[in-house]
Amino acid sequence: MTALIALEGLTKAYPGVVANDDVSLSIAPGEVHALLGENGAGKSTLVKMIYGLVKPDAGHMQMNGTAFAPAEPRAARAAGVGMVFQHFSLFDALSVAENIALGMEHPPAMRTLSQQIRDVSDTYGLPLSPDRTVGDLSAGERQRVEIIRCLLQEPKLLIMDEPTSVLTPQEVEILFKTLRKLSAEGTAILYISHKLEEIRSLCDSATILRLGRVVGHCTPSETSARDMAEMMVGTTLKTPMRAGKTPGDVVLELTELSAKSPSAFGMPLREISVQVRRGEVLGIGGVAGNGQDELLAALSGETLSKRGMVGFKGNDVGLLGPTARRALGILSAPEERLGHAAVPDMSLTENAMLTGAAREGLDRGGILDWAGARRFAETIIKTFDVRTPGPANAARSLSGGNLQKFVIGREVLQRPELLVVNQPTWGVDASAAAAIRQALLDLAENGTAVVVISQDLDELMEISDRFAALNEGRLSEPSPAQGLTVDEIGLMMGGAHGMEVAHV
Amino acid sequence: MFFGGLLFVALGKDPVAAIRTIFYEPLFGQYAFYYRPQLLVKGAPLVLIAIGLSLGFKAGIWNIGAEGQYIMGALFGAGVGLAFYPYEAWFVFPLMVAAGAFGGWIWAMIPAFLKVRFGTNEILVSLMLVYVAEQFLASMSLGLMKNPEGFGFPGSRNLQQYESAFNADLIEGSGMHWGVVAALIAVIFAYVLLSKHRLGFAIRVTGEAPRAARFSGVNPVRLVLFCMGMSGLLAGLAGMFEVSGPAGQVTIDFNVGYGFTAIIVAFLGRLHPVGILLAGGLMALTYIGGDIAQSQLGLPAAAIQVFQGMLLFFLLALDMLTHYRLRFGTAEVV
């Protein structure tokens, strides 16, 4: 079979780092090809070169046997490359059809376009009404908008960057059916994901990148997930260990917690009741946008709640702000690293001060102890193996995984009584993720109550004692994590959001 | 400066002479002994107001109405002074200072309160209050505060002739009045606040990343009240020092746009206290130099203002261009 697209010796260097070094791979028509690698392995740079967002320093690409060097995404799209990004670029206030029209070179009349959208969504089992407002859609449905936007251009190669991180297991199944159908029709798919089991069930072949180089190829269905992970990381992986333990006194008690969402397209919390005990890890799953951010804000003190809703060791803390709660030992780490958990343009020292002021004694009657903050930042960097030249560097300059280690480390080192984390290992590579999970388990071991909000079910199953799911702002009844099946979890997460199974 | 030169050429003046007049004459020219103190007199209110504004600007709180707060500070300060006239006592002046600060503060609290209570836009409200303050000033100088011995001319008694209330030069002929001292104190205070104090840190974090600020425990309501209040207070002080010193009396055209120029000064100084001190000096220089150019070369006053505007425009453009690359053509929709 001749290759649809062939990359040869692609090299791209940024100041201080070689993102891609002599990368070659080829994809045949209809092939589902996985691209694997840790954070910073160069996956994004590679697909950006194919999509024309980045120009390679050396090497060349061929498409159907002819030279292919897209100067911009428009050229790549014209050549038949479509890309679904991890982060959606949609306007909440516009309808599905309007959003799709915005991304097209020559949008047809709205009515024609709506018909085309219906046709494509029927053909590929992606139910979606063109007239709905994007702001009302679930994450899975938004992703369908992006996919349909690509499919309307009839691509020969579809690039998907971490498409399943926002989907329920049932939605993943539907997506996979769509992708398999596309592949059967001859569309090649380049699939980027951290979830190795998915890759094993979906992909025909895989290329593994490490530090910008190709370190191996494999056939995913014949390789175990562990082997693939070890090829990515280059070392043997440690599985976080936890000892059996008996939970202690109730630390956190939520009683019918309801809260409005601060943003217009957010999800209000509805009557959440749950208890978390000393030494216990409560895992909260659910698809993004079902109240995770709002729950974290209600626990951290960013949004205040009514009397009697949030109890901490028998005291009502619902009316206390973040600083007062920190002083009591309630610490948290939000999902969004840049701009929420950390200030992008400030140094790590200043970011250590951000939440460490109260508990680390860095605030002496209003006068800040910067030398102390610097020492604290250095401790975090050392303990959590944050790779950065030093605490004077800006948070923005760190890679996502490293910053995440810093953010989690900052809270863990403050000896919390209750720690709430949202997406603790989002975008973090396997070995760093393992280290973070281990740190959370160690905390629980020492008597901290830990609430982990995450969309990574494998992670939740690995570290939680009990599991509950957020759906439409409601929390399901927690049940012991051990022995839960994927189907049960999927149902707790609200199934596939009322969508029919694709008629493929 | 090059474009400024072009502007002067377009007006039919010798550009070199014009720029030399603006920047050189006040400092080293023949009459520099007169202009140098003027530099302090003009610079002090600018710096004082700009320091206050910069605190808010850093946190993303836009008080555009410093001019109004400046007027109110002057009115309150002068009002207290005039109320005591002709009683001589040491406490009159400190009382006027307090009243001036209060006047500016209360005027800034109006937009601040409306913002935190009803979510109004502080830019709009504070700006509109400038015009209210101007009307108030006119009414005062024509009515309540009019000098009873002033032969019907608008304007209050001259505070320069009322010893207890006169904000005189601390050293004769140096231009160094209490406002200059206050400006220097404000610079030091702002510097310490921003670098060492929790509140200054909160201001910086809020400006950089409001969500992170909220997460770290900053109370946005209190921050708005503090920043607005502080900038109003300093603007009020500036107005009070001006009315009791260099201006001497409340008149209809008492305000000369310090409150607006201070916005330029704040940005020219990159919102940094020391930068503002330097920028205030530079702006004062162009004011005085502009005056000289007006009288010596016959440059229109508006030309000087255009020149000042250009200064800010190019500085901000420079900032932008060092951070972003200019790209021609349309942006790609992905």
Side-chain angles (χ1 to χ4, degrees), chain A residues 33-39 43 86 160-165 172 176 190-200 202-203 206-207 228 232:
Chain A
H33 193 102
L35 196 54
L36 286 169
E38 288 188 89
N39 296 104
K43 299 177 308 252
Q86 187 178 5
M160 303 204 79
D161 191 358
E162 298 249 2
T164 57
S165 57
V172 170
F176 281 11
L190 184 58
Y191 189 89
I192 302 176
S193 177
H194 283 296
K195 297 185 182 169
L196 300 171
E197 286 303 334
E198 284 178 0
I199 287 173
R200 292 193 59 215
L202 180 72
C203 301
T207 297
M228 284 195 276
M232 276 161 61

Side-chain angles (χ1 to χ4, degrees), chain A residues 240 384 401 404-406 408-409 412 421 424-426 428-442 459 463:
Chain A
F384 280 82
Q404 185 67 22
K405 285 194 270 185
F406 182 84
I408 298 282
V412 167
V421 290
T425 60
W426 181 61
V428 176
D429 61 56
S431 55
I436 289 175
R437 288 175 197 151
Q438 187 62 56
L440 294 176
L441 288 176
D442 290 348
E459 164 173 287
I463 62 174

Side-chain angles (χ1 to χ4, degrees), chain A residues 127-150:
Chain A
L128 190 66
S129 158
D131 310 319
R132 287 183 63 194
T133 307
V134 167
D136 300 334
L137 300 182
S138 74
E141 288 170 315
R142 284 173 201 224
Q143 186 182 52
R144 271 175 246 154
V145 180
E146 293 274 7
I147 296 174
I148 288 174
R149 179 191 272 181
C150 285

Side-chain angles (χ1 to χ4, degrees), chain A residues 302 326 350 363 368 370, chain B residues 195-196 198 204 214-215:
Chain A
E302 285 166 87
R326 276 198 192 102
E350 286 169 304
D363 179 351
L368 300 177
W370 286 113
Chain B
S195 60
K196 296 273 181 234
R198 181 177 48 198
R204 287 190 295 140
R214 186 115 187 75
F215 170 65

Side-chain angles (χ1 to χ4, degrees), chain A residues 25-332:
Chain A
L25 66 89
S26 72
I27 305 173
E31 178 183 342
V32 184
H33 193 102
L35 196 54
L36 286 169
E38 288 188 89
N39 296 104
K43 299 177 308 252
S44 306
T45 308
L46 187 64
V47 295
K48 279 182 186 161
M49 287 194 283
I50 300 175
Y51 196 55
L53 282 166
V54 172
K55 261 199 200 81
D57 296 336
H60 48 89
M61 296 184 267
Q62 282 195 329
M63 190 138 193
N64 282 328
T66 50
F68 172 63
E72 50 176 8
R74 194 182 308 175
R77 280 202 298 265
V81 179
M83 181 155 174
V84 176
F85 288 88
Q86 187 178 5
H87 298 283
F88 307 143
S89 43
L90 298 172
F91 294 94
D92 278 350
L94 298 181
S95 78
V96 169
E98 284 165 335
N99 262 295
I100 289 177
L102 271 178
M104 298 176 92
E105 302 289 326
H106 307 288
M110 249 339 148
R111 202 182 309 157
T112 332
L113 183 63
S114 295
Q115 193 50 49
Q116 285 177 2
I117 293 171
R118 277 197 200 92
D119 291 346
V120 172
S121 76
D122 281 352
T123 321
Y124 293 100
L126 297 164
L128 190 66
S129 158
D131 310 319
R132 287 183 63 194
T133 307
V134 167
D136 300 334
L137 300 182
S138 74
E141 288 170 315
R142 284 173 201 224
Q143 186 182 52
R144 271 175 246 154
V145 180
E146 293 274 7
I147 296 174
I148 288 174
R149 179 191 272 181
C150 285
L151 293 185
L152 281 175
Q153 292 160 353
E154 294 172 0
K156 295 184 216 119
L157 172 69
L158 184 63
I159 303 172
M160 303 204 79
D161 191 358
E162 298 249 2
T164 57
S165 57
V166 295
L167 304 181
T168 64
Q170 280 82 352
E171 285 176 321
V172 170
E173 261 322 297
I174 290 165
L175 174 69
F176 281 11
K177 280 189 181 145
T178 306
L179 294 181
R180 287 195 188 106
K181 183 172 165 66
L182 277 171
S183 136
E185 288 176 357
T187 308
I189 296 167
L190 184 58
Y191 189 89
I192 302 176
S193 177
H194 283 296
K195 297 185 182 169
L196 300 171
E197 286 303 334
E198 284 178 0
I199 287 173
R200 292 193 59 215
S201 79
L202 180 72
C203 301
D204 306 318
S205 55
T207 297
I208 296 156
L209 290 179
R210 186 165 75 230
L211 300 174
R213 291 166 183 275
V214 175
V215 293
H217 296 277
C218 66
T219 309
S221 52
E222 292 162 10
T223 315
S224 78
R226 196 180 177 86
D227 288 347
M228 284 195 276
E230 283 173 1
M231 278 167 89
M232 276 161 61
V233 181
T235 54
T236 328
L237 276 179
K238 275 184 297 196
T239 313
M241 300 294 292
R242 65 173 159 178
K245 64 206 161 201
T246 44
D249 308 333
V250 174
V251 175
L252 173 74
E253 177 155 30
L254 300 180
T255 318
E256 303 207 332
L257 169 69
S258 298
K260 284 206 192 79
S261 172
S263 71
F265 291 110
M267 176 66 68
L269 298 177
R270 298 183 173 105
E271 294 164 10
I272 291 179
S273 297
V274 73
Q275 289 186 341
V276 190
R277 294 170 179 277
R278 267 175 65 88
E280 183 184 44
V281 180
L282 174 69
I284 296 183
V287 176
N290 271 302
Q292 283 91 341
D293 288 349
E294 289 77 6
L295 180 61
L296 184 115
L299 292 176
S300 72
E302 285 166 87
T303 46
L304 303 181
S305 31
K306 295 204 187 79
R307 208 169 290 280
M309 283 180 171
V310 184
F312 176 72
K313 290 183 163 179
N315 301 316
D316 187 1
V317 296
L319 294 166
L320 297 180
T323 312
R325 290 197 200 186
R326 276 198 192 102
L328 288 173
I330 307 177
L331 304 183
S332 53

Side-chain angles (χ1 to χ4, degrees), chain B residues 201-214:
Chain B
F201 185 57
I203 288 173
R204 287 190 295 140
V205 174
T206 305
E208 297 263 358
R211 277 188 86 194
R214 186 115 187 75

